Amino acid sequence: MKKIGLILGMFLLCTNMMFGQGANNIRINEVLTINTESLIDEYGRNKPWVELANVAFSSYNIRGMYITTDRRVLDKNMSVPERMKLMSQIPNDEKMKLGVKGHIVFFLNSNPADGSVNLSAQVNEEKSTWIGLYNANAVTLIDSVTVPVLAPNTSYARHTDGSAKWVVKSEDAVTPAISNYITVDETKVERLKREDPYGFGITVLSMGIVFFCLALLFIFFKLFGQFMFHVSKHKVEKEFESEEAAGASSAANNSTKTDAEDETDVIMAVISMALRESAGGFHDTESNIITIRPKNTHWTNSKH
């Protein structure tokens, strides 16, 4: 069992090393710049928001990454401290761990002190807005998009999660914190090809299912074998106890029978002796007459 666990652990580790995409699979997925009736923050306020999506088949913690709307950070000669001043850092919070195909919404034009999903990055609703997502080093640009001027409560979003195509979504089609809509004419096979063009995801999923099923079968047969062993052992012990009980009963019966036979022999012997005695086999017939005969002892020859 330990060997199987070690093999599975090594497989999962290799899988994560080969297919884990990390920060490069975090995408700016949807942006809403004029919010009057959309999401509200913890204080009931309508703020512009940006949605990030994890398009990988593994979870990733986005803490420490940066979101900015200031194009000056595109200057490669700018120092890191100067860049950080123009960026809003994603805080260290348990909400920042995005699961497989996970989403999270951050409110802009806000105060980070108001909560972990409130960022200071500014949005001007009257102008197009450039939004950039940077890695925790504040240098590597992970993703960016230029959002056109939008009508109130409409969003600029990817056609589907992580796709290269962007569309303007009407108010009733906005999808904060969930997957973007799939067009009606797109089949599941086409969606799978689009989201996993190289087949990495389906390969990992298939191999994971196979190994999981094999592990379940191993555990089942292992437990079943132990159960049958205990059943057989219990059956043998019961048979042994039955044999011992039968032997003890037989010995008791034999002992009782021997005692009875001995008693019968004694009774027969007594009866036989009584019969023989009555037949005169042990004593002479007495006449009840005492006979006295003289005997010379030389005492009668005395000279006196």
Side-chain angles (χ1 to χ4, degrees):
M1 187 65 182
K2 292 182 178 179
K3 292 182 179 179
I4 297 295
L6 180 60
I7 293 173
L8 287 175
M10 293 179 64
F11 170 76
L12 293 175
L13 179 60
C14 292
T15 300
N16 286 333
M17 292 176 62
M18 293 176 62
F19 304 111
Q21 301 299 316
N24 292 328
N25 273 313
I26 305 301
R27 293 286 182 267
I28 298 172
N29 204 50
E30 189 170 6
V31 182
L32 189 143
T33 56
I34 305 177
N35 181 6
T36 61
E37 297 179 359
S38 184
L39 291 181
I40 58 175
D41 64 8
E42 298 93 327
Y43 299 92
R45 300 170 301 190
N46 296 105
K47 295 282 187 177
W49 52 261
V50 57
E51 176 194 72
L52 300 184
N54 178 16
V55 298
F57 287 93
S58 59
S59 61
Y60 186 77
N61 198 325
I62 62 173
R63 65 184 180 182
M65 298 178 72
Y66 292 89
I67 291 179
T68 182
T69 57
D70 196 324
R71 285 180 175 271
R72 288 180 293 174
V73 297
L74 295 174
D75 184 1
K76 296 182 179 180
N77 295 322
M78 183 177 290
S79 65
V80 173
E82 290 175 333
R83 288 174 177 275
M84 294 175 62
K85 291 178 182 179
L86 302 177
M87 298 177 176
S88 184
Q89 189 174 35
I90 297 174
N92 183 5
D93 189 274
E94 59 181 9
K95 298 178 184 177
M96 304 310 152
K97 185 175 183 180
L98 299 186
V100 177
K101 303 296 182 180
H103 303 76
I104 188 170
V105 172
F106 290 99
F107 292 99
L108 307 178
N109 293 359
S110 191
N111 185 353
D114 291 341
S116 59
V117 293
N118 292 270
L119 303 179
S120 60
Q122 297 297 306
V123 172
N124 187 342
E125 61 185 37
E126 297 180 355
K127 297 180 180 180
S128 62
T129 302
W130 177 84
I131 299 179
L133 174 66
Y134 279 79
N135 206 340
N137 59 15
V139 175
T140 306
L141 179 63
I142 302 299
D143 193 20
S144 66
V145 62
T146 299
V147 182
V149 177
L150 300 171
N153 304 311
T154 61
S155 70
Y156 192 60
R158 294 182 185 271
H159 182 251
T160 53
D161 288 358
S163 68
K165 182 180 178 181
W166 286 81
V167 296
V168 177
K169 297 178 110 179
S170 61
E171 183 177 350
D172 59 348
V174 175
T175 56
I178 59 175
S179 298
N180 294 346
Y181 287 143
I182 301 173
T183 55
V184 178
D185 58 345
E186 184 180 28
T187 65
K188 292 182 178 180
V189 175
E190 292 173 342
R191 180 189 179 189
L192 181 61
K193 289 181 179 178
R194 173 177 51 77
E195 294 185 348
D196 188 21
Y198 301 105
F200 290 157
I202 193 67
T203 300
V204 173
L205 180 63
S206 301
M207 294 181 68
I209 292 174
V210 171
F211 275 95
F212 179 73
C213 293
L214 290 174
L216 285 181
L217 287 174
F218 175 82
I219 294 172
F220 171 77
F221 284 113
K222 183 72 173 180
L223 295 178
F224 183 75
Q226 292 179 353
F227 172 75
M228 293 304 298
F229 173 76
H230 288 299
V231 170
S232 301
K233 182 179 179 181
H234 182 67
K235 185 177 179 180
V236 170
E237 289 177 351
K238 287 190 67 175
E239 291 178 353
F240 181 74
E241 291 175 356
S242 299
E243 291 178 357
E244 284 188 340
S249 177
S250 176
N253 292 335
N254 291 336
S255 177
T256 302
K257 183 177 179 181
T258 301
D259 293 342
E261 289 177 351
D262 291 344
E263 184 178 355
T264 302
D265 292 342
V266 171
I267 293 173
M268 292 300 294
V270 171
I271 293 174
S272 298
M273 292 178 64
L275 290 174
R276 188 172 181 181
E277 182 181 354
S278 63
F282 285 98
H283 301 281
D284 294 336
T285 302
E286 300 292 341
S287 62
N288 296 325
I289 300 174
I290 299 174
T291 303
I292 301 174
R293 294 177 181 178
K295 185 177 180 180
N296 186 8
T297 62
H298 304 289
W299 287 95
T300 55
N301 296 328
S302 176
K303 294 180 178 181
H304 299 287

